[in-house]
Each structure stands twice: as C-alpha cells, then as structure tokens.
Amino acid sequence: MCRWLAYSGTPVLLDDVLYRPQHSLIDQSLHARMGVETTNGDGFGIGWYAWHLRTPAVIRDTGPAWSNRNLREIADHVRSSLFFAHVRASTGTTVQQTNCHPFRHGRWLWMHNGAIAGFHDLRRDLMLTVDPALFPALEGTTDSEVMFHVALTFGLDGDPPGAVARMAGLVERLGHEHGVPQPLQMTVAVTDGERVWFFRYSSGGASRSLYYSSRVDDVRALHPDLAFLRHVSEETRLVVSEPLGDLPGVWNAVPESSYGVIQPGRDQLLRDFEPEPV
C-alpha cells in the first residue's frame, strides 16, 4: 500500500516534518513498520499551500522519495501551514507521475492509502458516474484518483463527509454487484486549504493504520525537551499512516470506521463514518 502525512498548523519548513522525525515519512518510504509493504518506492508527492494563494502547489515523481534531490531541496526551503505528503507502493496500476498522490482539483487536495478490490471490473461503472465537467481532469489510472473525482461529483465542495460516504457507498454497491465481497479499503485525507478531513474505513472492518497527534500543549507537558514544539501553536496537528516516533502520549489511533476534521478553532475529533447508499 502507501504511507502518507497531513500537517496543519504553524508554518514550518517541510524538512521539519518530512525528514527530521525519528521515523519520518522519508524513513517510512524505506522502512515502513505498519504497512502491507515495507518499502514504498513507487513514486511520491507533496502538495502545499502558500498564504497568498488559494490553490496548492503539487510536485510528484515516479522515483523513490528517499533519494530524490529535488524533494530534499524543496523541503529545505518551503515553509507552509498546511501540506500533504505521500509515498506510494503501487497496488497494480502503472508507476507514472499522473498516478502519484496527492491529487489536486482547484483548491482541493486528496490522497489515499488502500485499494478498491476488483477495480478493473468496477472502473468503467465508476468512471461513468463522474460529472462530465470533471472527466477531462482525470489524468491517471488509479482507483484513488477515480475515488476523488466521484467524491467531487457527489458534492465534496459543500459536504466533504457526505461526499466521501456516498463515494464509499457507490464503491461497495458496485463491488457487490460484481461479486466482490469486501470492495473498499481506505484511509483518506482531503483538504480545501483551510480544513483537513481524514477517514479510516474498510468493507471488512480491518482498515490500514492511521494516527493523529495529541494537542500540542499536552505533548509539551509530556516532552518538554522537544525543541520543535516550542514554536508551534496549540492548533498544530498531524495525521499520519504510522507514528513518526515512539514517544508515549503523542499519537492516537484513529478508530475503525470513523473520520475527523482539523480546522481553525476547535477540531471535530472523532465521528462515526458509514458509507451512504447511492
């Protein structure tokens, strides 16, 4: 599968989060502990927001993240208050730039870990669901990008949790129609540049790992020696496929079949998630 990270809070250099932690995302690209695959070297991507622009910048490449000099250069010089990063292990689709996450549409970013079982059989029906106005924006061949465009079709702009629930409901219905007993496996992060929604769900009730960080003031109290935390606000949060270190009290498992929202002010952690029949 894949490993991903979402950051929201005080502007920081990408390097502080992508490279410096003990078990950083770059380390996970080589030595994942909780993924199906240990190595996630089938491409990577980062997407970030600048304070003066509404739409995010995205870079993606097909090589492994651990040896990419351009990623190293960007991480040392780009500072952002909201960014996504993803390292990919292909589940069968081609290793090409347009299949790397995160995916972008307008102000939105989307990334996914997991798979639609039997995607090659379901793909045509799913593609026909996509709004014709959105169809030209589909560039790659992954289930993840199709999921994103189905969610956009189902109202992501106005109701992200509802749109993702309807997307999941459609995948499950089509899967069952094609004889796939457990069609969907997903951890998903999606953002409009202000809020971040994250989801953990699978048809079989055994979803891939997902964690969110504790409140910064609580972590400071537990680990006053962490220099990085002295300069970030109490609203700073991370959501990760697996913890970036082993410090106790920092990482909380996202429960099965649930979603959360990181937003200015009070976060909405956590709510039940259930696919909505379509």
Side-chain angles (χ1 to χ4, degrees), residues 19-43:
Y19 285 89
R20 290 186 181 276
Q22 172 190 359
H23 187 47
S24 69
L25 191 69
I26 304 305
D27 181 62
Q28 291 175 34
S29 67
L30 263 174
H31 307 295
R33 301 172 182 172
M34 299 180 178
V36 175
E37 295 87 5
T38 301
T39 303
N40 298 273
D42 295 329

Side-chain angles (χ1 to χ4, degrees), residues 147-161:
M147 290 165 64
F148 179 30
H149 283 76
V150 171
L152 285 164
T153 299
F154 285 163
L156 190 67
D157 269 324
D159 177 18

